[in-house]
Amino acid sequence: MAYPITRMRRLRRNEILREMIRETHLSVKDLIFPLFVCPGKGIKKEISSMPGNYRMSVDVLVETCKEIRDLGIPGIILFGIPEKKDELGTGAYGDDGIIQTALRKIKKEVDELLVITDVCLCEYTSHGHCGVIEKGVVHNDETLKLLSRQALSHAKAGADIIAPSDMMDGRVGCIRAILDANAFSDLPILSYAAKYSSAFYGPFRDAADSAPQFGNRKSYQMDYANSDEALREVKLDISEGADIIMVKPALAYLDIIYRVKTKFKVPVAAYNVSGEYACIMAAAEKGWISGDDVMLEVLYSMKRAGADIIITYFAEKAARLLQKK
Ligand code: PBG
């Protein structure tokens, strides 16, 4: 039935009608807040390229976690900045590492907050790559051994979900095996399955001081020209035991979120990464866009594409805004 019988504008006449027929919803319960933890005490240092986000010492982090929980945000994802970096990223898997220490403290003092840990070596290696370097390249299978140790140490310290972000082949299977062998068979894995080699990670690398010191990550992270390959990555990770699949970044990759959700019908997380956050914040600061409105529009687009979970530096801002509505 065409115009004039059909008039699409009838149901757009007011907000009650619009709300009644809205197809997608954004809730604070969809959001996960990324947080950076560093050594020291009483430290809360704003990350210049990510205004409103901080490097925090464990004591400050614990208080922040309580505020986040009280806002209704269901969880955080933790990234660590170690005291020292070295060739093998030893700060990543020791029981006294920064993440392990933070985890134990959060688990003791903050209840009802899901803590996801990022498993990767780049924040801990002196060369800034996500694995062990042999003859100038990241060695896949040697890296798997260290990632497995890191995952197990997070599990022992109380992580609620393990999230490998390194993009080595076979890591999900290795991590599943070591968790299962150590009585952690109930611990879920959120796999960064389709993780692209992206310039949108710039501000994160400032925050974690983790930019590669030579070369780039193109030999392990995906080429942004590809999408069938993302489906192969996802299929492999599901077969190795991934419980939730991540697509990262999110905004320039909504087609990937859509294809993954449509094809596999598994829980999908979108990572709205640091550069996506920085672009919006910078334009808003200049007064060129309305930051809050663009933020909501972007978060809705991820839900519309098929994301169940959104990991975003906007989590706190969005939670406050959604509370007011
Ligand atoms: C670790 C990791 C990175 C991000 C999440 N986990 C950096 C990278 O791969 O270079 C980026 C997140 C962001 O940009 O917000 N490998």
Side-chain angles (χ1 to χ4, degrees):
M1 216 79 79
Y3 168 83
I5 306 286
T6 299
R7 285 179 187 269
M8 296 302 283
R9 290 181 54 191
R10 279 185 204 122
L11 295 179
R12 292 179 199 148
R13 280 175 61 211
N14 61 49
E15 182 54 19
I16 299 179
L17 281 170
R18 287 191 293 270
E19 200 167 274
M20 206 162 67
I21 61 153
R22 193 156 287 147
E23 299 171 36
T24 309
H25 297 277
L26 179 70
S27 154
V28 62
K29 296 294 170 205
D30 302 326
L31 308 176
I32 299 288
F33 201 13
L35 295 178
F36 297 90
V37 57
C38 65
K41 228 179 154 190
I43 294 172
K44 183 173 180 179
K45 226 176 132 203
E46 191 164 48
I47 300 155
S48 58
S49 49
M50 287 198 277
N53 286 268
Y54 304 85
R55 287 175 172 211
M56 288 171 277
S57 51
V58 174
D59 52 332
V60 178
L61 175 76
V62 167
E63 293 314 307
T64 305
C65 283
K66 291 178 188 162
E67 287 165 27
I68 289 167
R69 177 207 49 203
D70 295 344
L71 276 170
I73 297 169
I76 60 165
I77 182 163
L78 264 190
F79 297 97
I81 298 132
E83 192 88 56
K84 273 198 329 264
K85 304 193 185 216
D86 58 32
E87 276 285 299
L88 293 176
T90 48
Y93 34 83
D95 284 334
D96 56 351
I98 183 78
I99 290 289
Q100 294 78 358
T101 308
L103 262 173
R104 279 192 297 268
K105 193 94 173 148
I106 296 170
K107 282 292 139 191
K108 204 168 124 204
E109 296 192 23
V110 192
D111 52 8
E112 292 179 50
L113 182 75
L114 196 79
V115 184
I116 305 171
T117 55
D118 183 87
V119 167
C120 189
L121 297 183
C122 67
E123 294 130 66
Y124 306 92
T125 52
S126 41
H127 44 72
H129 277 286
C130 301
V132 178
I133 302 290
E134 267 184 32
K135 300 196 182 93
V137 294
V138 175
H139 192 289
N140 195 86
D141 299 5
E142 286 304 314
T143 303
L144 292 183
K145 294 177 194 163
L146 300 185
L147 294 171
S148 305
R149 277 177 68 182
Q150 186 183 12
L152 181 60
S153 73
H154 290 181
K156 285 182 175 161
D160 295 300
I161 297 182
I162 301 289
S165 75
D166 51 283
M167 288 300 278
M168 296 302 119
D169 287 318
R171 78 272 169 74
V172 173
C174 271
I175 291 172
R176 188 68 272 161
I178 198 165
L179 292 178
D180 290 357
N182 286 276
F184 290 108
S185 54
D186 285 338
L187 195 57
I189 295 177
L190 159 57
S191 161
Y192 287 67
K195 176 173 177 178
Y196 286 87
S197 178
S198 169
F200 281 103
Y201 305 153
F204 175 97
R205 292 178 189 171
D206 293 341
D209 199 11
S210 64
Q213 297 303 299
F214 63 91
N216 54 48
R217 302 209 205 291
K218 288 184 195 294
S219 76
Y220 41 104
Q221 298 181 347
M222 284 182 58
D223 178 347
Y224 56 66
N226 298 349
S227 60
D228 288 343
E229 188 187 341
L231 301 184
R232 293 180 65 205
E233 283 280 8
V234 168
K235 190 173 176 195
L236 283 165
D237 282 9
I238 293 172
S239 74
E240 290 175 32
D243 301 283
I244 306 173
I245 289 299
M246 191 197 294
V247 175
K248 177 186 173 195
L251 202 44
Y253 299 83
L254 295 176
D255 57 322
I256 309 298
I257 297 174
Y258 180 75
R259 287 190 73 186
V260 167
K261 187 63 181 179
T262 307
K263 187 169 169 75
F264 296 102
K265 300 187 182 4
V266 294
V268 173
Y271 198 140
N272 177 211
V273 301
S274 56
E276 301 174 50
Y277 175 83
C279 287
I280 293 173
M281 292 299 286
E285 207 175 276
K286 279 185 169 285
W288 291 349
I289 58 171
S290 156
D292 284 354
D293 292 330
V294 170
M295 167 185 79
L296 286 180
E297 190 173 332
V298 156
L299 296 176
Y300 265 93
S301 76
M302 293 163 199
K303 290 290 305 272
R304 200 180 63 233
D308 301 287
I309 301 163
I310 305 173
I311 301 174
T312 179
Y313 303 95
F314 285 120
E316 190 181 346
K317 283 191 220 334
R320 291 192 196 282
L321 213 67
L322 291 169
Q323 235 175 19
K324 275 195 238 147
K325 287 206 164 191

